[in-house]
Amino acid sequence: MPQVVRSRIAVLHGAHPATPLPRSFRSLADRAAVEVLHRAARVLVASLPVLTDRLVEALYEQEPGYRAAIDSDRAEVWQEVHHSLRHNVGSLIQPREFRDAAHRTSRWIGEIRAGQGVPLDAVLHAFRMGGAMVWQDLVDETARRDPDDVRLLVHVAADVWNFVDEHCGIVADAYRQAERRLSWRRENQQRLMVAALLDGTARIADLCEAAAMLGLPEQGRYAVLAVASAPGGPQQQDPARPPLNLAAALSPGEGLSTAPGAAPLWHTGPDAAFAILRLTGGPGDPGEPGELHAIADALDAPAGTRAGIGSAVDGLAALGDARRLAETALRACPASGGTVVLDEHLPDALVVSSPALGSALADRVLGPLDRLDPSDRDVILETLTAWLDADGSAQRAGARLYCHRNTVLNRLRRFEQLTGRCLTRPRDAVEVSLALAARRLLGS
């Protein structure tokens, strides 16, 4: 109860406050007003069950936020209201004895209602409705006993409403604290669930709960995006958060073919950040051929960022496989940065999936070139790469390298002589292509 009321009541009980009260507070009007308040409040205490019934019924009729709680367990709400009225009305009579209990009850109500999801505005409205009902009953009881005493209640009206406001503040503070704790707990549970799904350690029995918690269909179509900085490149200031422009690019409504309203769920690992992408279509539906490529095109990756998008999978249970596919795509990214869609770079994925074999192939096919002068070796490798990228056209390779087509053909013949490979033989062409990928991706 506010200090003004406590001080007035303390005088009536013979207690002396630490500092003298102003003369106006010692007036007979104040003393008489508190006595009138006490008489009316004692009548309310004696009829608390009836008052509780009326307030619960008023809450049901006037506050929609409480209807579900009352329908679910009217007895529980009744006990809550009764507890609050008993301690709060008791505080009007004996503030020292009831103050702490009244505060504890208000804090408890705020925490309970936050946990049940009752809106804070509804809880505060309920407290103000209770305050209004108590005040009206105080006035009615005083008028019934002696109408002339009603004017004395004016002296304590502000203090009674300050008391109501004080408890509204206590309820709001407890509600917000509980809401923050619940929000942190939900976010932590979501993080743990996303991590378990991506690690492939989630139990089959937990998939239904995971779907409900994350707002994802258990049998949807998904892919995983892996994001990391280039080796030696600038690191994120906060490794727990994904690159902001990547997160924005993957937000709903950006023209991506991800499922409507399905924002990606991020999880940060020690070496990379991962995003679960919900795709259009159902299980087994191949969807548009360029769906994952469209997502890659929409990414606004910072310079030096490497991003890999794995193949599409069906169902939450397959997200562990989707993460491993995304990691493979990430390893197939150039060291300088870029985005790789696994389905479009499967030969490179084969190389990085078995680094030891990739290195062995590169040494076997390209090893003879290492005996050349480095500048001479690099010219041959650059020409070979350009020729393969040009689908075997010496003319287009020469245009790309700013040299004559015959120069390209001469360098290719020299490569064949040094390595013993024949570029017109399909098997040799495949081995050379994979060896170049291993040299580029593995540094072999």
Side-chain angles (χ1 to χ4, degrees):
M1 179 176 285
Q3 185 63 40
V4 174
V5 175
R6 289 201 299 271
S7 300
R8 292 172 180 168
I9 296 175
V11 171
L12 294 181
H13 286 277
H16 298 283
T19 56
L21 290 172
R23 181 175 300 275
S24 60
F25 287 170
R26 300 192 189 102
S27 69
L28 291 178
D30 285 333
R31 180 184 294 273
V34 172
E35 289 176 348
V36 169
L37 176 67
H38 281 186
R39 283 197 300 268
R42 290 191 185 98
V43 175
L44 263 63
V45 169
S47 60
L48 272 183
V50 175
L51 177 59
T52 302
D53 288 339
R54 289 168 48 215
L55 181 51
V56 170
E57 192 60 35
L59 286 174
Y60 190 84
E61 293 176 357
Q62 302 177 33
E63 180 44 67
Y66 263 76
R67 284 176 192 158
I70 295 173
D71 284 335
S72 174
D73 194 341
R74 177 178 286 263
E76 188 269 338
V77 176
W78 193 96
Q79 288 295 337
E80 171 193 303
V81 172
H82 187 266
H83 250 49
S84 180
L85 288 174
R86 180 162 59 88
H87 289 125
N88 291 337
V89 175
S91 295
L92 299 177
I93 306 170
Q94 296 175 296
R96 290 184 179 178
E97 289 79 358
F98 283 91
R99 181 178 183 274
D100 289 343
H103 283 188
R104 284 195 301 270
T105 299
S106 295
R107 281 194 293 270
W108 174 75
I109 291 173
E111 292 172 355
I112 290 295
R113 292 302 170 213
Q116 294 173 340
V118 177
L120 176 58
D121 287 346
V123 182
L124 295 178
H125 184 210
F127 264 76
R128 293 190 177 101
M129 286 176 62
M133 188 171 289
V134 167
W135 175 250
Q136 187 61 52
D137 281 10
L138 290 172
V139 172
D140 291 346
E141 173 58 28
T142 301
R144 185 190 65 79
R145 186 182 184 92
D146 187 343
D148 290 339
D149 286 345
V150 172
R151 59 185 176 79
L152 294 174
L153 288 181
V154 174
H155 294 268
V156 293
D159 298 316
V160 170
W161 284 106
N162 285 340
F163 176 84
V164 174
D165 286 341
E166 176 189 5
H167 279 263
C168 284
I170 292 171
V171 168
D173 183 61
Y175 186 101
R176 294 188 182 102
Q177 290 184 21
E179 198 172 41
R180 285 193 293 270
R181 289 194 300 270
L182 291 169
S183 176
W184 178 88
R185 189 176 303 144
R186 278 193 303 270
E187 291 174 0
N188 193 50
Q189 289 174 340
Q190 288 179 348
R191 283 194 296 268
L192 293 174
M193 185 59 73
V194 169
L197 290 171
L198 290 172
D199 290 341
T201 57
R203 299 181 303 174
I204 297 298
D206 293 335
L207 293 180
C208 183
E209 178 186 353
M213 180 187 301
L214 303 177
L216 298 173
E218 185 176 346
Q219 299 301 327
R221 188 164 174 267
Y222 301 97
V224 171
L225 164 72
V227 181
S229 298
Q235 300 296 316
Q236 288 177 234
Q237 293 181 349
D238 184 359
R241 299 178 63 187
L244 292 182
N245 48 353
L246 283 177
L250 290 172
S251 297
E254 297 296 329
L256 301 183
S257 56
T258 49
L265 295 173
W266 287 93
H267 170 71
T268 302
D271 302 316
F274 300 91
I276 298 175
L277 309 177
R278 180 183 169 191
L279 307 178
T280 57
D285 180 3
E288 292 295 329
E291 183 174 8
L292 296 177
H293 186 72
I295 295 175
D297 288 344
L299 293 177
D300 183 19
T305 298
R306 299 158 57 237
I309 302 176
S311 303
V313 299
D314 293 329
L316 294 178
L319 283 178
D321 294 333
R323 171 180 175 160
R324 287 186 285 274
L325 293 172
E327 288 176 323
T328 300
L330 185 63
R331 290 196 296 271
C333 285
S336 59
T339 301
V340 166
V341 178
L342 183 65
D343 290 350
E344 298 176 358
H345 294 80
L346 292 177
D348 290 351
L350 287 174
V351 170
V352 298
S353 295
S354 183
L357 291 178
S359 296
L361 178 63
D363 290 342
R364 179 180 176 185
V365 175
L366 305 177
L369 300 181
D370 293 334
R371 293 192 290 268
L372 300 176
D373 181 85
S375 60
D376 194 14
R377 177 200 62 202
D378 291 345
V379 167
I380 293 177
L381 290 176
E382 182 183 21
T383 302
L384 184 60
T385 300
W387 180 76
L388 289 170
D389 289 344
D391 296 327
S393 170
Q395 185 75 33
R396 292 202 301 272
R400 183 175 299 180
L401 298 172
Y402 303 102
C403 65
H404 195 274
R405 65 180 297 275
N406 289 340
T407 302
V408 172
L409 293 173
N410 289 334
R411 292 172 182 173
L412 294 179
R413 278 194 294 270
R414 189 178 179 206
F415 168 80
E416 291 178 328
Q417 292 169 356
L418 291 170
T419 62
R421 305 284 166 169
C422 178
L423 293 175
T424 57
R425 186 183 301 134
R427 177 178 180 138
D428 285 358
V430 169
E431 288 186 351
V432 169
S433 178
L434 291 176
L436 286 171
R439 179 67 64 94
R440 172 171 49 87
L441 296 171
L442 304 175
S444 302

